[in-house]
Amino acid sequence: MSDIYESAANSLGLFSSPCLTKVELRLTCKGISDRDALSKPDPCIVLNMQSHGQWMEVDRTEVIRSCVNPTYSKVFTLDFYFEEVQRLRFELYDINSSHNGLKEADFLGWVECTLGQIISQRKLSKALLRPGGTVGKSIITITAEELTGNDDYIELSFSARKLDDKDFFSKSDPFLEIYRLNDDATLQLVYRTETVMNNLNPVWKTFKVSLNSLCSGDHERKLQCTVWDWDSNGKHDYIGEFEATFKEMRGAIDGRQVQWPCINPKYKMKKKNYKNSGIVILNQCKIIKMHSFLDYIMGGCQIQFTVAIDFTASNGDPRNSCSLHYIHPYQPNEYLKALVAVGEICQDYDSDKMFPAFGFGAQIPPDYKVSHDFAVNFNEENPECAGIQGVVEAYQACLPKLQLYGPTNIAPIIQKVANSASQEVHTKEAMQYFILLILTDGVITDMADTREAIVQASHLPMSVIIVGVGNADFSDMQMLDGDDGILRSPKGEPVLRDIVQFVPFRNFKHASPAALAKSVLAEVPNQVVDYYNSKGIKPKVPSEYQSSRPFGP
């Protein structure tokens, strides 16, 4: 086994390259031509990044309804590595209004470039290539901004009262846009609220924005705020606007309200007794200190790593060389490769290096009943194995004693780890975060229960990584990975956080173990930070290193 260990360890040098800076990317498009001549497109842009020849989705913008020239408020935040060529692909989709996922969407075109190109030009405009590869008329503009030392986030809660009514048969459907005035006098969209339908006294949802995005760290920078009445045809009616600064907004930090009259300049000129078109109110302003993944790890947070292995009959008889569980004397099978690649990294963050390992979908001794959460070492009192090497040995030792069976149920194992994670919630400290690695060869049979288990687990300090082994159709698994729309429980409850990452192992068959690990674990640091920040839990010991502020060259 040492060769696979060494190959994994040696290629993990990828992870030591220092991130020079974080970069925010903002997107606009012009002249989107739709396939449907009768209606305007509902455009959304998906950002993919290349990792060892594979395109991986990193993030996506919001969908803007009925719009041929969209300006997106969603900001993509990326780590910039100077010595890596970071290839990006921006894909434009027209999203079916009844279905927010990409499966039903029309693919309108794409652009490829590198992060370095965008950063060097600050603003990059390119024509989108049509699905056939020909140059289209639609132009995408990507603007890059380096995140300077201040990583703080601001949480803002806006409402309004007595807004002008722009609709004949109902009340206005207001939304608010906040623009930052740049040094070159251009306006940069910072945030767009949701639309509150049929309401002249809207209360918009609380939102978070980085201090860097809002005002480039300059508390007296002018912000232009505009209120619109939403229209389904994309021609929104102007209600009014006001100017503000972050310095003024800070007046709402202690729970005091800050108010601005919403002014329509045309009405002001024409109407003698015109006062305003409504009042916009900031009900709350909170400054949220953002801590990094390293701050939590250095503060003593342990990653509790649990492995779950699929022992269903569809893997094939382990004695047969075609089986996914076949133990070859020299060549580790896909289960072992995936386990070592991911486990090697996780074990660095776990001080006792003891890993619980479970199996599911097999009949187990002594009575050969089917179990979906048995200890691979058959010690239910203590399912922990010493290091990844111990998990590998327990796996090899248990194979001859099992009867591979079915069905493929993963909800029980998610619930088992969730029970442990729920104990951690009561401590109100960042001491243990749980990662469950599920290695499976196929389509899961308890999808409804699994969705429910994931939605419940999204409230806990826990992430789930699923690696699909073999050549099965994994399209259902993509649904669990919240990247394609929001995962909901069968009752309709949405996940609180996106905690699932699904990766088919076949995408990495010819890449290094580090490539798999990098893709699988890419989201984990953010998931850890999101969880603790959302709970207001600080790292236990303030980091001696300003880890979130790397030094430039």
Side-chain angles (χ1 to χ4, degrees):
M1 279 310 297
S2 62
D3 54 345
I4 176 171
Y5 258 79
E6 281 166 26
S7 66
N10 291 344
S11 48
L12 294 182
L14 272 172
F15 293 85
S16 61
S17 57
C19 163
L20 281 184
T21 186
K22 281 192 183 303
V23 178
E24 290 187 336
L25 300 183
R26 290 181 174 76
L27 307 180
T28 61
C29 275
K30 281 217 159 42
I32 297 175
S33 49
D34 193 19
R35 295 188 168 182
D36 181 357
L38 299 175
S39 66
K40 288 183 186 170
D42 299 331
C44 166
I45 296 175
V46 175
L47 168 61
N48 295 281
M49 190 180 261
Q50 198 174 61
S51 174
H52 292 265
Q54 300 293 330
W55 287 107
M56 300 289 165
E57 178 174 332
V58 176
D59 211 341
R60 63 178 66 176
T61 65
E62 74 274 24
V63 178
I64 298 183
R65 299 288 173 205
S66 300
C67 190
V68 292
N69 302 313
T71 296
Y72 293 97
S73 72
K74 167 77 181 185
V75 178
F76 295 142
T77 306
L78 298 178
D79 289 338
F80 170 54
Y81 294 93
F82 180 72
E83 66 279 36
E84 281 184 32
V85 177
Q86 292 170 275
R87 294 195 185 284
L88 306 179
R89 178 182 168 102
F90 298 87
E91 296 179 344
L92 179 67
Y93 290 88
D94 178 10
I95 301 290
N96 181 317
S97 54
S98 61
H99 187 285
N100 255 350
L102 294 185
K103 280 182 187 163
E104 311 288 321
D106 285 331
F107 177 48
L108 301 181
W110 84 96
V111 153
E112 286 181 19
C113 60
T114 67
L115 186 54
Q117 285 170 329
I118 302 169
I119 286 171
S120 62
Q121 295 187 36
R122 292 285 173 189
K123 185 182 269 191
L124 179 67
S125 293
K126 289 185 89 163
L128 283 163
L129 298 177
R130 292 198 191 97
T134 56
V135 177
K137 291 180 179 168
S138 311
I139 303 286
I140 183 171
T141 300
I142 307 147
T143 308
E145 190 171 18
E146 183 181 339
L147 267 176
T148 50
N150 198 327
D151 291 345
D152 290 347
Y153 271 71
I154 313 303
E155 197 172 84
L156 301 170
S157 305
F158 280 97
S159 61
R161 67 169 183 264
K162 295 186 178 169
L163 292 175
D164 284 357
D165 196 352
K166 297 287 182 184
D167 294 346
F168 289 117
F169 301 112
S170 62
K171 297 189 174 85
S172 292
D173 307 318
F175 66 92
L176 169 69
E177 288 184 332
I178 300 175
Y179 288 85
R180 180 185 78 210
L181 186 64
N182 292 326
D183 294 336
D184 62 359
T186 56
L187 287 171
Q188 176 71 62
L189 178 65
V190 172
Y191 190 79
R192 180 187 295 119
T193 68
E194 78 285 5
T195 301
V196 177
M197 303 302 282
N198 197 23
N199 195 328
L200 301 181
N201 303 300
V203 177
W204 289 292
K205 285 180 188 161
T206 300
F207 63 90
K208 268 197 315 210
V209 61
S210 72
L211 188 61
N212 208 73
S213 288
L214 183 66
C215 60
S216 306
D218 174 2
H219 292 202
E220 300 195 3
R221 183 178 291 273
K222 279 186 180 162
L223 304 171
Q224 186 176 313
C225 309
T226 313
V227 182
W228 300 87
D229 169 28
W230 180 82
D231 217 325
S232 59
N233 66 7
K235 293 179 179 171
H236 311 307
D237 296 314
Y238 173 78
I239 294 177
E241 63 185 56
F242 61 95
E243 265 191 3
T245 63
F246 177 58
K247 188 178 179 183
E248 291 167 21
M249 290 179 177
R250 288 183 58 160
I253 279 179
D254 300 327
R256 297 192 302 273
Q257 290 183 336
V258 181
Q259 301 185 357
W260 296 269
C262 187
I263 303 295
N264 184 326
K266 272 191 192 168
Y267 290 177
K268 197 172 182 179
M269 283 173 68
K270 286 182 185 171
K271 296 182 180 178
K272 254 190 180 168
N273 299 326
Y274 176 78
K275 282 188 177 170
N276 56 56
S277 296
I279 301 287
V280 176
I281 305 148
L282 178 59
N283 299 295
Q284 192 179 36
C285 171
K286 264 190 198 168
I287 297 179
I288 302 167
K289 193 90 196 134
M290 294 304 280
H291 299 285
S292 73
F293 176 62
L294 286 182
D295 290 337
Y296 285 103
I297 295 299
M298 289 171 174
C301 184
Q302 295 290 313
I303 300 295
Q304 297 294 339
F305 181 60
T306 302
V307 183
I309 299 171
D310 180 337
F311 290 107
T312 53
S314 52
N315 284 283
D317 184 339
R319 291 168 296 191
N320 185 323
S321 62
C322 299
S323 168
L324 291 167
H325 280 305
Y326 180 67
I327 301 293
H328 190 282
Y330 308 112
Q331 183 61 41
N333 63 35
E334 287 188 17
Y335 277 98
L336 286 172
K337 281 183 183 168
L339 165 65
V340 171
V342 179
E344 277 288 320
I345 289 176
C346 290
Q347 74 177 0
D348 284 347
Y349 300 108
D350 187 325
S351 60
D352 71 359
K353 308 276 188 283
M354 298 299 290
F355 303 122
F358 297 98
F360 57 93
Q363 293 176 320
I364 60 168
D367 49 10
Y368 288 91
K369 282 193 176 137
V370 176
S371 172
H372 298 292
D373 57 355
F374 62 90
V376 172
N377 64 4
F378 297 123
N379 181 351
E380 296 300 330
E381 298 300 309
N382 181 14
E384 293 190 329
C385 305
I388 297 303
Q389 183 74 47
V391 178
V392 169
E393 286 164 5
Y395 162 75
Q396 290 176 323
C398 84
L399 269 172
K401 301 170 186 166
L402 299 174
Q403 184 61 52
L404 272 56
Y405 208 69
T408 309
N409 292 353
I410 64 171
I413 195 71
I414 295 173
Q415 288 158 348
K416 192 172 198 123
V417 175
N419 286 340
S420 301
S422 64
Q423 307 302 311
E424 180 65 13
V425 172
H426 309 303
T427 66
K428 303 274 193 295
E429 287 185 343
M431 291 314 289
Q432 292 191 82
Y433 190 93
F434 293 77
I435 295 179
L436 169 60
L437 172 65
I438 299 175
L439 306 171
T440 178
D441 83 316
V443 183
I444 58 177
T445 35
D446 62 343
M447 184 57 92
D449 289 344
T450 295
R451 279 164 51 204
E452 178 67 39
I454 289 168
V455 167
Q456 298 313 315
S458 72
H459 294 259
L460 303 171
M462 175 173 170
S463 295
V464 180
I465 295 165
I466 305 173
V467 177
V469 175
N471 293 312
D473 174 9
F474 290 122
S475 50
D476 272 0
M477 294 296 214
Q478 303 287 2
M479 188 181 102
L480 298 176
D481 191 330
D483 293 341
D484 197 11
I486 292 175
L487 176 73
R488 293 178 184 273
S489 75
K491 297 181 202 127
E493 184 190 345
V495 283
L496 189 65
R497 311 178 291 124
D498 176 15
I499 64 164
V500 177
Q501 175 78 334
F502 171 75
V503 178
F505 186 83
R506 57 175 171 253
N507 291 0
F508 294 89
K509 254 190 166 153
H510 306 296
S512 69
L516 170 70
K518 194 169 193 180
S519 172
V520 163
L521 295 170
E523 294 182 15
V524 168
N526 287 338
Q527 289 170 354
V528 172
V529 169
D530 284 352
Y531 173 77
Y532 289 121
N533 274 323
S534 71
K535 293 277 189 252
I537 297 174
K538 297 181 171 70
K540 196 138 192 251
V541 183
S543 165
E544 292 169 34
Y545 308 99
Q546 288 293 73
S547 52
S548 51
R549 291 164 205 172
F551 298 103

